[in-house]
Amino acid sequence: MEAAKKQDMPPPGGYKKIPYARVPAKTYMTGFQMFAAYGAVTTIGMYIYYLNAKMVLREDIEMRSAQNVIFPVLIAERDREFLKQLRRNRDEEAQLMANVKGWEVGTWYGEPVFKTIPKDKLIPPSYLEFFAQSDSKVQNSRAHVKLWS
């Protein structure tokens, strides 16, 4: 037996009307109030920026002053360590060449390398001369820094 068919009908009184009229957005501020708020926020922001820029400038001056004070000390320490390493290199050369007849440290078999330069003038060695007695791994790691700076 078949069930009785029932047609879907509108509710009694019909469907609600479809709203199609324009609904304006709720206004919170007028145009004048928006310009006033923009001006207030911009003024406050500029004042905070001014205070921050003053602080950054003061810290920058302090940092540059500290760098100017410590820079000569760092250069002196670098030069001091360089001279100490040159002394270690000469000592190592003297130890390595102790059994070679006629070898004087700082010369080429007793012959000075630089003949026209006074004996008290320092001639800085080349990179390879400076690392001549060092391990090749140390020399290669330093070469990367030296050649790229």
Side-chain angles (χ1 to χ4, degrees):
M1 208 159 143
E2 281 188 38
K5 296 183 181 177
K6 183 176 176 187
Q7 185 174 352
D8 192 17
M9 298 297 287
Y15 291 109
K16 291 186 198 174
K17 299 274 186 200
I18 297 174
Y20 62 89
R22 182 175 176 266
V23 180
K26 187 174 180 182
T27 57
Y28 293 102
M29 291 193 294
T30 65
F32 178 75
Q33 289 172 332
M34 281 194 241
F35 279 119
Y38 170 76
V41 168
T42 302
T43 304
I44 292 169
M46 288 174 61
Y47 179 68
I48 292 172
Y49 177 82
Y50 167 73
L51 293 179
N52 190 33
K54 231 168 59 167
M55 183 184 67
V56 167
L57 181 64
R58 198 172 349 158
E59 289 176 357
D60 187 40
I61 290 170
E62 184 176 345
M63 187 58 71
R64 275 187 278 132
S65 297
Q67 288 173 350
N68 288 340
V69 167
I70 198 145
F71 190 70
V73 175
L74 293 175
I75 295 295
E77 282 297 314
R78 183 197 66 184
D79 292 347
R80 185 172 168 265
E81 184 57 36
F82 177 72
L83 292 174
K84 284 170 63 175
Q85 184 61 42
L86 288 180
R87 172 57 68 185
R88 288 191 288 264
N89 287 354
R90 286 181 67 96
D91 294 344
E92 182 74 20
E93 181 184 348
Q95 184 181 359
L96 284 173
M97 303 302 280
N99 297 332
V100 177
K101 192 168 124 186
W103 185 266
E104 278 184 52
V105 175
T107 63
W108 182 253
Y109 289 99
E111 184 88 18
V113 179
F114 301 104
K115 297 180 182 176
T116 60
I117 297 175
K119 293 193 183 288
D120 61 345
K121 181 165 176 61
L122 174 66
I123 304 297
S126 70
Y127 177 78
L128 293 175
E129 289 173 347
F130 186 75
F131 284 100
Q133 285 91 22
S134 68
D135 186 18
S136 62
K137 290 179 183 176
V138 173
Q139 181 181 358
N140 291 338
S141 69
R142 301 288 180 168
H144 180 69
V145 173
K146 173 74 175 170
L147 296 175
W148 286 100
S149 60

